[in-house]
Amino acid sequence: PESPLAGFSTALSQTQSISSISSEGTEDFQVNQLETQVWIKPGIQKTDVDFSEILNAIHEIAKDVNIFFDELEGVNSPSKDDDSLLHHGNLTSTSGDASRLEVVGEEVPDKNKTNGLYFRDGKCRIDYILVYRKSNLQTEKREIFERNIRAEGLQMEKESSLTNSDIIFVKLHAPWEVLGKYAELMNVRMPFRRKIYYLHRRYKFMNRIEKQISRFRGWLPRKPMKLDKETLPDLEENDCYTAPFSQQRIHHFIIHNKDTFFNNATRSRIVHHILQRVKYEEGKNKIGLNRLLSNGSYEAAFPLHEGSYRSKNSIKTHGAENHRHLLYECWASWGVWYKYQPLDLVRRYFGEKIGLYFAWLGWYTGMLFPAAFIGLFVFLYGVTTLNHCQVSKEVCQATDIIMCPICDKYCPFMRLSDSCIYAKVTHLFDNGATVFFAVFMAVWATVFLEFWKRRRAVIAYDWDLIDWEEEEEEIRPQFEAKYSKKERMNPISGKPEPYQAFADKCSRLIVSASGIFFMICVVIAAVFGIVIYRVVTVSTFAAFKWALIRNNSQVATTGTAVCINFCIIMLLNVLYEKVALFLTNLEQPRTESEWENSFTLKMFLFQFVNLNSSTFYIAFFLGRFTGHPGAYLRLINRWRLEECHPSGCLIDLCMQMGIIMVLKQTWNNFMELGYPLIQNWWTRRKLRQEYGTQRRTNFPQWEKDYNLQPMNAYGLFDEYLEMILQFGFTTIFVAAFPLAPLLALLNNIIEIRLDAYKFVTQWRRPLASRAKDIGIWYGILEGIGILSVITNAFVIAVTSDFIPRLVYAYKYGPCAGQGEAGQKCMVGYVNASLSVFLVSDFENRSEPTSNGSEFSGSPLKYCRYRDYRDPPHAPVPYGYTLQFWHVLAARLAFIIVFEHLVFCIKHLISYLIPDLPKDLRDRMRREKYLIQEMMYEAELERLQKERKERKKNGKSYHNEWP
């Protein structure tokens, strides 16, 4: 029903409209003098508000009026033993959620009893679920643990599973007193005052201009990527100052309903905090839920999802059933792929750690737009200038130039014009804009990281993470068990704790580093195997029966080698995970964060080397150390090393990057979503066969969540690792494959919705954890950014033909000495880049089976090959020419100049871009000042009221303050 105060709130809003500003875009506004706001929640009864205070506030606008319930009836169930708590499961319906997001008021107990989110009394909301099996032998530990849980003030209720009588669900609820106590201990920040904004005085001329601009914006279409706040009112920002919760100052906080003051994620985090500190056995180390999960006493522990993510009613007409439904409709649904993410809602439901991951992923995806656009522009520039490229023209017209065979015996002589298509494809990626794009991507990586610092600072401010510090972490049980005999005092807590000797730690680190080195050698061995495969199969494909494969033997070799390499990469990744896990446990890290950082670094090193080793070989070693016809360098004095294609080695690098990137992203997306989907489908299928479709939909929420897949044991590790490896592909060899940012962008647009769908629908609800940043991944990103500058410099200087063309244009071409380097200066470049070989100088084992008579009717005397060497009749046959040394010097000079220039630009950008935006720094200072003033005024007001009450009661003391 509509509140009787609706008229007063309307009048109040009209009065405030004269002196206050709208809530939309309030971050950009400032006001000259302190103005107060009175906020009245619809649905408050007449007896809850003093009308005289409201009238005074309307006339004076002197102070905030906060309406809150001072007391709420608590539900304290009597102490029961374990057997009396057990309740055999009944089918409950989750179709009607009593607490819609837009409704604030008293709960409806009848609906609460049937929605699967409350105890059987319909009043106590389930904050946490523990699952165990009756057949488990750890009964005594569980009984002690649950007895201590009740001693901490948590309420408990047990329910047997509907599908398996051996499974028992333990439902936990934290009353208001427990929540308040531990919220104060954990320094949970809660809202206590509405924010106040200041507006500078402006001239009339500026106001007129702003009115015209706003009128013009009204004609423009609305931004399609923004979420509709009118349809989704729950996405409005919480416009309140926050402070660490304190029971002594509870009257300062905005409490409209004690049941909803702490949101569900905060309640679950508080309960988990309690469970981690409850003993289950006598002994100083016999404590915490994690140990009970590791020894099998409990099978699972998780907070509940807030009902179903689907609804028969439209969210636009009936609103969201719950936060999970709201997240599904405005975030995880494919229909909103083009909209911004509701990060505040993600943080509220899943916690700051997961919210920061999606914030970083969204920021990275947004920053990929300019990189993808420039990369596409470079590719299109190559397409438009293809017909004007002098080099590709000469290659396509070189019908009289006969190239030497690229393998022993079975590879025939070939015309240079046969590689016309490959020369054109090479020009699409290796053109005049490639150097500019490489510099741009190096600068882009720096700008991305620097602006992410600023974005993270804004998010940390909005989410109250600025002053948050991680708690003193607990010691890992494995560390305690290993070093429990030797102890020393903790300098922070002052308590004795297990201690690892320095010599023991160093020896373990040395063994771990040796294991890492050995696994990197395994990667190199795998690459060596791929090299042998390429060397052997190029001759096999050259003698193949099918003309298509025989004429394209080198491309077929490269394509099959890349696919085999991808299979080896995926197989070795499974091995690397086990090895990294073993080495990390061997190191015996002290805390969970140390374990996570060590495991993350090892897995990244393994997978990065595994994924990029073949790419490094193709980019910097393929065709570099082959020798020359008549004196080929051989592997184990048997196999001739593989040469580059007559059009260059860049086409092989492009194929390697394109195939690996597409296949890996497709495989990762399938495993991320496909595997949980198949597992959940199989579980639903078994339940449908046993209980039927109608009955299965009536399972309680804890039963539905238990049948979902648990979150990865390593948390967000797989999600971060996938994106970091993609970032490496996007930056390290981007000069050879300008379309990499575009492929990454398309993948990430899908990845955001895949991850969102997975978190909302396929996984159990993870515990809401707090974090200030993305952790060790930021340092890895910085390392990749530095490595990308070096690799791109070498790709341009060594792999591509940019430097040889430049040297020819300025030193040996038609425009030599004129300072020009256009296409007309490249006439004759192809002929100048090829050396002459006398066919009679072939070794016996590399002499081709054909004599080349099919080209001119008589046996060939000479053939050409890619190198800068003297002709066979020179004083020093096949020696390096002067042009070779000029090209080599130019390559080295380019690498040095490019690296120094780009690094200087990167450091300059890092220096010019502050980590904290100026407006945010000013807001933080202003807020700190206002919070101090408000707390002082509120305390002063409380003391004055107490003084007046003492005077009324006749109790006055001398020297009272104030």
Side-chain angles (χ1 to χ4, degrees):
E2 186 177 359
S3 170
L5 299 179
F8 283 94
S9 61
T10 303
L12 181 60
S13 62
Q14 294 175 354
T15 305
Q16 285 186 328
S17 64
I18 302 174
S19 56
S20 63
I21 55 178
S22 64
S23 61
E24 183 178 359
T26 50
E27 293 182 358
D28 298 328
F29 288 97
Q30 297 179 350
V31 184
N32 274 334
Q33 59 183 1
L34 185 65
E35 295 178 354
T36 58
Q37 302 178 8
V38 182
W39 185 76
I40 298 177
K41 188 76 174 178
I44 305 301
Q45 300 299 323
K46 180 177 178 179
T47 57
D48 295 326
V49 184
D50 189 352
F51 285 86
S52 61
E53 290 184 7
I54 297 177
L55 293 174
N56 291 335
I58 294 175
H59 292 293
E60 299 176 5
I61 312 181
K63 60 185 178 179
D64 292 346
V65 176
N66 295 316
I67 304 169
F68 60 90
F69 297 108
D70 291 330
E71 294 182 357
L72 186 68
E73 182 181 0
V75 181
N76 296 320
S77 60
S79 177
K80 300 180 180 180
D81 58 5
D82 294 338
D83 294 335
S84 61
L85 287 171
L86 182 60
H87 176 73
H88 295 286
N90 295 323
L91 289 174
T92 58
S93 173
T94 59
S95 59
D97 191 347
S99 56
R100 298 262 180 152
L101 296 177
E102 65 272 11
V103 178
V104 178
E106 296 184 358
E107 304 289 345
V108 183
D110 293 338
K111 292 185 179 180
N112 290 350
K113 291 180 180 179
T114 60
N115 65 5
L117 300 175
Y118 290 81
F119 279 14
R120 292 189 295 271
D121 59 6
K123 297 180 180 179
C124 299
R125 188 176 187 92
I126 301 173
D127 297 322
Y128 212 81
I129 291 290
L130 302 177
V131 185
Y132 69 89
R133 292 182 180 270
K134 289 191 292 185
S135 58
N136 190 281
L137 301 178
Q138 306 283 352
T139 306
E140 184 178 354
K141 292 180 180 180
R142 283 198 307 270
E143 289 179 353
I144 298 174
F145 185 71
E146 291 170 2
R147 194 180 307 124
N148 291 333
I149 287 176
R150 292 195 294 271
E152 289 291 335
L154 296 180
Q155 298 177 10
M156 184 186 304
E157 191 174 78
K158 293 188 177 182
E159 195 98 16
S160 61
S161 173
L162 298 173
T163 59
N164 188 346
S165 59
D166 188 43
I167 297 177
I168 304 298
F169 295 97
V170 181
K171 301 177 285 185
L172 301 177
H173 168 75
W176 169 258
E177 293 77 12
V178 176
L179 292 173
K181 172 186 174 182
Y182 280 94
E184 186 171 0
L185 292 176
M186 297 169 61
N187 290 323
V188 178
R189 300 182 69 90
M190 302 302 295
F192 76 98
R193 281 292 185 273
R194 299 293 301 277
K195 285 186 178 179
I196 301 168
Y197 301 95
Y198 287 76
L199 181 65
H200 288 298
R201 187 184 301 275
R202 298 190 177 184
Y203 296 102
K204 294 182 179 180
F205 176 74
M206 296 299 297
N207 289 335
R208 291 175 183 173
I209 292 179
E210 288 183 357
K211 288 181 180 178
Q212 295 297 329
I213 293 175
S214 62
R215 185 180 301 176
F216 175 73
R217 286 178 179 174
W219 297 338
L220 297 176
R222 301 184 64 182
K223 294 182 179 180
M225 292 184 293
K226 282 193 173 182
L227 294 166
D228 191 357
K229 291 188 177 182
E230 296 178 358
T231 306
L232 308 174
D234 196 68
L235 292 179
E236 293 181 0
E237 296 178 359
N238 188 9
D239 216 17
C240 295
Y241 294 120
T242 61
F245 183 76
S246 173
Q247 288 182 315
Q248 293 181 350
R249 298 181 177 180
I250 193 172
H251 52 281
H252 294 168
F253 295 90
I254 304 175
I255 306 177
H256 305 290
N257 188 334
K258 287 185 177 181
D259 285 342
T260 58
F261 178 63
F262 296 104
N263 60 37
N264 295 329
T266 304
R267 296 173 68 100
S268 300
R269 187 156 55 91
I270 292 174
V271 173
H272 181 78
H273 178 86
I274 297 172
L275 296 178
Q276 291 296 90
R277 286 154 178 80
V278 172
K279 283 193 172 186
Y280 61 86
E281 206 172 69
E282 290 300 328
K284 61 179 181 180
N285 298 331
K286 309 297 184 180
I287 184 174
L289 175 63
N290 285 347
R291 290 179 173 87
L292 291 175
L293 289 172
S294 61
N295 63 28
S297 298
Y298 287 100
E299 189 172 295
F302 52 89
L304 283 182
H305 278 296
E306 299 180 7
S308 175
Y309 63 90
R310 294 186 183 274
S311 176
K312 298 179 180 179
N313 303 319
S314 172
I315 191 174
K316 294 183 178 180
T317 57
H318 293 75
E321 296 287 341
N322 49 65
H323 284 125
R324 190 186 185 194
H325 179 214
L326 182 60
L327 278 172
Y328 177 77
E329 292 292 338
C330 69
W331 183 47
S333 175
W334 291 106
V336 294
W337 64 269
Y338 59 93
K339 290 186 177 292
Y340 294 128
Q341 299 183 85
L343 294 177
D344 290 334
L345 189 58
V346 175
R347 170 243 182 173
R348 187 185 309 172
Y349 194 82
F350 292 110
E352 287 80 2
K353 193 170 186 177
I354 295 176
L356 272 172
Y357 163 71
F358 282 102
W360 177 84
L361 180 57
W363 182 257
Y364 170 46
T365 304
M367 289 293 291
L368 279 174
F369 273 96
F373 175 78
I374 299 297
L376 184 61
F377 170 78
V378 172
F379 180 78
L380 294 178
Y381 174 80
V383 173
T384 55
T385 59
L386 183 60
N387 295 328
H388 305 287
C389 178
Q390 182 64 29
V391 176
S392 60
K393 282 183 181 180
E394 291 185 0
V395 171
C396 294
Q397 296 171 1
T399 56
D400 57 339
I401 297 179
I402 308 301
M403 301 298 294
C404 297
I406 60 175
C407 68
D408 292 339
K409 292 187 177 182
Y410 299 107
C411 291
F413 295 98
M414 59 180 295
R415 287 189 175 92
L416 180 60
S417 58
D418 293 342
S419 60
C420 175
I421 296 177
Y422 303 112
K424 291 182 177 181
V425 173
T426 301
H427 177 74
L428 299 180
F429 302 100
D430 185 13
N431 50 64
T434 304
V435 178
F436 160 75
F437 185 60
V439 175
F440 170 81
M441 287 303 297
V443 175
W444 173 87
T446 302
V447 171
F448 161 66
L449 293 176
E450 291 300 320
F451 275 94
W452 164 247
K453 288 182 184 177
R454 296 165 62 87
R455 174 62 177 159
R456 188 207 63 82
V458 174
I459 291 175
Y461 169 79
D462 291 337
W463 293 355
D464 292 322
L465 298 173
I466 295 293
D467 299 325
W468 179 77
E469 295 293 340
E470 293 188 16
E471 302 175 359
E472 179 68 17
E473 287 191 84
E474 294 182 358
I475 299 175
R476 297 177 65 242
Q478 296 85 347
F479 185 88
E480 288 181 337
K482 180 71 175 176
Y483 301 103
S484 58
K485 295 181 180 179
K486 191 173 183 179
E487 294 183 344
R488 73 171 182 178
M489 299 296 292
N490 187 311
I492 298 176
S493 63
K495 299 179 180 179
E497 66 178 16
Y499 169 67
Q500 182 182 15
F502 179 75
D504 180 76
K505 186 174 184 179
C506 287
S507 62
R508 290 178 178 275
L509 288 177
I510 291 173
V511 173
S512 178
S514 302
I516 296 173
F517 179 75
F518 173 76
M519 294 309 299
I520 292 177
C521 291
V522 172
V523 176
I524 297 175
V527 174
F528 185 74
I530 295 295
V531 171
I532 295 178
Y533 169 81
R534 295 171 68 105
V535 169
V536 172
T537 53
V538 68
S539 300
T540 305
F541 283 135
F544 212 74
K545 296 181 180 180
W546 296 347
L548 178 64
I549 296 179
R550 185 172 61 249
N551 297 332
N552 299 277
S553 59
Q554 197 162 15
V555 176
T557 300
T558 302
T560 54
V562 171
C563 294
I564 294 174
N565 183 33
F566 174 75
C567 296
I568 294 176
I569 287 172
M570 303 311 297
L571 290 175
L572 287 179
N573 281 344
V574 179
L575 175 63
Y576 291 154
E577 182 176 345
K578 298 182 182 300
V579 173
L581 191 62
F582 171 77
L583 293 177
T584 306
N585 291 330
L586 180 66
E587 292 177 6
Q588 290 291 348
R590 177 177 171 273
T591 62
E592 288 295 335
S593 63
E594 292 178 5
W595 188 95
E596 183 178 343
N597 290 339
S598 178
F599 179 76
T600 297
L601 187 59
K602 289 180 181 62
M603 280 296 293
F604 170 76
L605 285 176
F606 289 158
Q607 295 214 18
F608 180 81
V609 174
N610 188 26
L611 191 64
N612 293 284
S613 54
S614 296
T615 311
F616 271 90
Y617 164 75
I618 293 174
F620 305 128
F621 297 98
L622 179 63
R624 308 296 168 199
F625 309 100
T626 58
H628 63 86
Y632 287 117
L633 297 178
R634 296 184 179 274
L635 198 63
I636 321 179
N637 198 26
R638 180 178 179 183
W639 293 298
R640 171 183 163 185
L641 293 177
E642 187 182 5
E643 292 185 33
C644 290
H645 197 272
S647 59
C649 295
L650 201 67
I651 187 67
D652 295 321
L653 185 58
C654 292
M655 288 181 61
Q656 172 81 11
M657 291 192 61
I659 294 175
I660 291 292
M661 196 170 184
V662 172
L663 288 180
K664 185 152 188 5
Q665 290 182 348
T666 304
W667 175 260
N668 287 339
N669 290 335
F670 170 76
M671 289 302 296
E672 281 189 6
L673 186 63
Y675 184 68
L677 273 175
I678 293 173
Q679 284 189 317
N680 291 333
W681 170 81
W682 184 255
T683 303
R684 291 194 301 267
R685 182 176 178 272
K686 291 194 298 183
L687 294 176
R688 192 184 304 114
Q689 291 177 350
E690 295 180 12
Y691 300 97
T693 305
Q694 184 62 32
R695 197 177 181 192
R696 186 181 62 83
T697 58
N698 294 328
F699 283 165
Q701 189 63 42
W702 56 81
E703 192 95 32
K704 291 182 177 180
D705 287 6
Y706 177 71
N707 290 326
L708 296 177
Q709 296 303 308
M711 187 178 177
N712 193 323
Y714 306 131
L716 294 168
F717 170 79
D718 287 339
E719 280 71 23
Y720 272 118
L721 180 63
E722 179 187 356
M723 290 296 104
I724 299 300
L725 292 176
Q726 183 205 82
F727 179 80
F729 253 96
T730 307
T731 55
I732 292 178
F733 294 104
V734 73
F737 192 58
L739 293 179
L742 179 62
L743 294 179
L745 174 63
L746 297 177
N747 174 79
N748 286 7
I749 292 175
I750 300 173
E751 179 75 20
I752 290 176
R753 305 304 163 181
L754 279 181
D755 285 348
Y757 184 83
K758 178 176 61 180
F759 271 93
V760 174
T761 67
Q762 301 302 311
W763 279 1
R764 296 173 190 163
R765 185 177 183 177
L767 182 69
S769 303
R770 306 204 85 190
K772 295 182 68 172
D773 49 35
I774 61 176
I776 193 175
W777 296 109
Y778 185 83
I780 293 175
L781 286 171
E782 285 187 326
I784 292 176
I786 294 173
L787 181 62
S788 67
V789 177
I790 300 172
T791 53
N792 282 302
F794 276 89
V795 166
I796 296 173
V798 177
T799 310
S800 74
D801 289 337
F802 174 76
I803 298 299
R805 293 176 188 175
L806 209 62
V807 171
Y808 178 82
Y810 284 102
K811 184 67 178 176
Y812 298 96
C815 305
Q818 301 179 13
E820 297 182 10
Q823 290 297 326
K824 64 179 182 179
C825 301
M826 298 304 297
V827 176
Y829 167 76
V830 172
N831 186 59
S833 64
L834 299 176
S835 299
V836 179
F837 177 73
L838 186 63
V839 174
S840 60
D841 292 341
F842 267 122
E843 299 172 299
N844 292 331
R845 53 180 171 178
S846 61
E847 187 175 358
T849 54
S850 64
N851 57 8
S853 57
E854 65 271 17
F855 296 105
S856 59
S858 60
L860 284 175
K861 293 184 178 181
Y862 300 97
C863 64
R864 309 293 294 272
Y865 61 98
R866 283 175 55 92
D867 209 342
Y868 297 99
R869 292 182 181 269
D870 292 323
H873 303 295
V876 182
Y878 307 116
Y880 287 117
T881 62
L882 183 62
Q883 187 174 356
F884 169 82
W885 299 108
H886 283 165
V887 171
L888 180 62
R891 281 173 169 167
L892 295 177
F894 175 83
I895 291 172
I896 295 173
V897 172
F898 182 88
E899 288 181 357
H900 282 71
L901 176 63
V902 174
F903 278 130
C904 288
I905 295 175
K906 285 169 67 70
H907 288 301
L908 180 63
I909 291 175
S910 301
Y911 175 76
L912 294 178
I913 300 177
D915 294 344
L916 205 63
K918 184 180 182 302
D919 60 337
L920 177 60
R921 187 184 298 110
D922 294 340
R923 283 192 311 182
M924 290 169 58
R925 292 175 180 175
R926 181 64 181 169
E927 179 175 333
K928 185 177 181 180
Y929 169 77
L930 288 177
I931 288 176
Q932 291 176 350
E933 291 293 320
M934 290 177 181
M935 297 293 285
Y936 171 76
E937 291 176 1
E939 191 67 21
L940 184 62
E941 183 180 356
R942 185 183 65 83
L943 292 174
Q944 287 176 346
K945 288 182 178 180
E946 291 180 357
R947 180 183 179 186
K948 291 180 181 179
E949 290 179 358
R950 287 198 300 267
K951 285 185 177 180
K952 289 181 180 180
N953 298 332
K955 298 180 180 180
S956 60
Y957 301 94
H958 297 289
N959 300 325
E960 287 186 340
W961 184 87

